[in-house]
Amino acid sequence: MLTALWELATFFQRTAPTAEASASFFYILLITSSLSQPAYLLTVLSIHREKRSLLLVFVPVLLRFFTFFFLTITFVLTPYGWSYLISPELPFEVGTAVFFGYLFGAIIILVELTRKARSAILRQKYVILLASFTIFQAIGFPLTNYFLTVNHDFPPLGGILQFLTFIAIGVAVMLKEPRIPSSIRGINSFQEVYLSFLTD
């Protein structure tokens, strides 16, 4: 939901008729994108942990929200809609550090889940999630944002990266463990086990 709101806000921020309207959607974009990162981390942490204390992952984002009050944002019309310049640098860098902290946290947890996976299929699922998150979110998203800041005519690719991430998640979810026939439980003979696979 947060990611969907983030992408909608990005679309309307780009296509807004005026700079003022673009600014309104930009602040929605800032809030939803900031909340999406701890939500990603919370989702990954929740795979093997179910504790209310996990909600503490949202605490660092409060620092990022605090930096918003010190940002000056200038909107620039480009061939791809409204872009923006952010200043001063220090509040922006603090917010960026929080952003990368969430990214690295999610990657570390995914690496740990991959390493401790109980089966080959489960490990394959985690590898897909880890690779897609690293390529599209941790590398692709910051890189394209950087290109946008140095060249306003650079096409915005965030939506494509999000779409590819969700495609990868869908592929991982669709991987299924092979079903073991229940009738082989309690069978000790290899021949009986083999025959049970042929006849079930």
Side-chain angles (χ1 to χ4, degrees), residues 3 10 26 38 49 52 58 64 94 117 122 140 143 161 170 172 177 187:
T3 304
T10 301
F26 180 78
R49 301 175 180 85
R52 291 183 179 179
F58 284 93
R64 193 176 191 198
V94 171
L122 190 58
L143 197 60
L161 294 174
E177 294 275 3
I187 300 176

Side-chain angles (χ1 to χ4, degrees), residues 103-167:
L103 290 180
F104 290 140
I107 290 172
I108 290 170
I109 298 300
L110 283 171
V111 168
E112 189 68 10
L113 289 172
T114 303
R115 191 177 65 85
K116 294 182 176 180
R118 299 186 306 272
S119 67
I121 291 294
L122 190 58
R123 182 174 293 106
Q124 190 175 354
K125 287 174 179 278
Y126 290 144
V127 166
I128 292 173
L129 294 176
L130 174 61
S132 61
F133 187 84
T134 302
I135 294 171
F136 302 134
Q137 299 294 320
I139 298 176
F141 199 79
L143 197 60
T144 55
N145 274 357
Y146 170 76
F147 288 144
L148 284 170
T149 59
V150 297
N151 180 12
H152 296 304
D153 292 333
F154 187 81
L157 302 176
I160 296 175
L161 294 174
Q162 297 285 19
F163 177 73
L164 292 174
T165 301
F166 281 110
I167 290 294

Side-chain angles (χ1 to χ4, degrees), residues 44-64:
V44 174
L45 286 170
S46 299
I47 293 176
H48 280 173
R49 301 175 180 85
E50 294 184 4
K51 296 181 180 179
R52 291 183 179 179
S53 59
L54 292 180
L55 294 175
L56 292 175
V57 299
F58 284 93
V59 172
V61 81
L62 298 177
L63 176 60
R64 193 176 191 198

Side-chain angles (χ1 to χ4, degrees), residues 16-92:
T18 64
E20 291 75 15
S22 180
S24 299
F25 287 111
F26 180 78
Y27 285 108
I28 298 175
L29 182 160
L30 274 182
I31 294 171
T32 52
S33 63
S34 298
L35 289 174
S36 292
Q37 299 308 316
Y40 287 153
L41 181 57
L42 177 64
T43 301
V44 174
L45 286 170
S46 299
I47 293 176
H48 280 173
R49 301 175 180 85
E50 294 184 4
K51 296 181 180 179
R52 291 183 179 179
S53 59
L54 292 180
L55 294 175
L56 292 175
V57 299
F58 284 93
V59 172
V61 81
L62 298 177
L63 176 60
R64 193 176 191 198
F65 286 154
F66 181 70
T67 64
F68 293 169
F69 295 101
F70 301 94
L71 296 177
T72 300
I73 303 163
T74 305
F75 292 89
V76 181
L77 189 59
T78 74
Y80 298 100
W82 292 99
S83 188
Y84 50 87
L85 296 170
I86 298 179
S87 59
E89 292 185 0
L90 182 59
F92 177 72

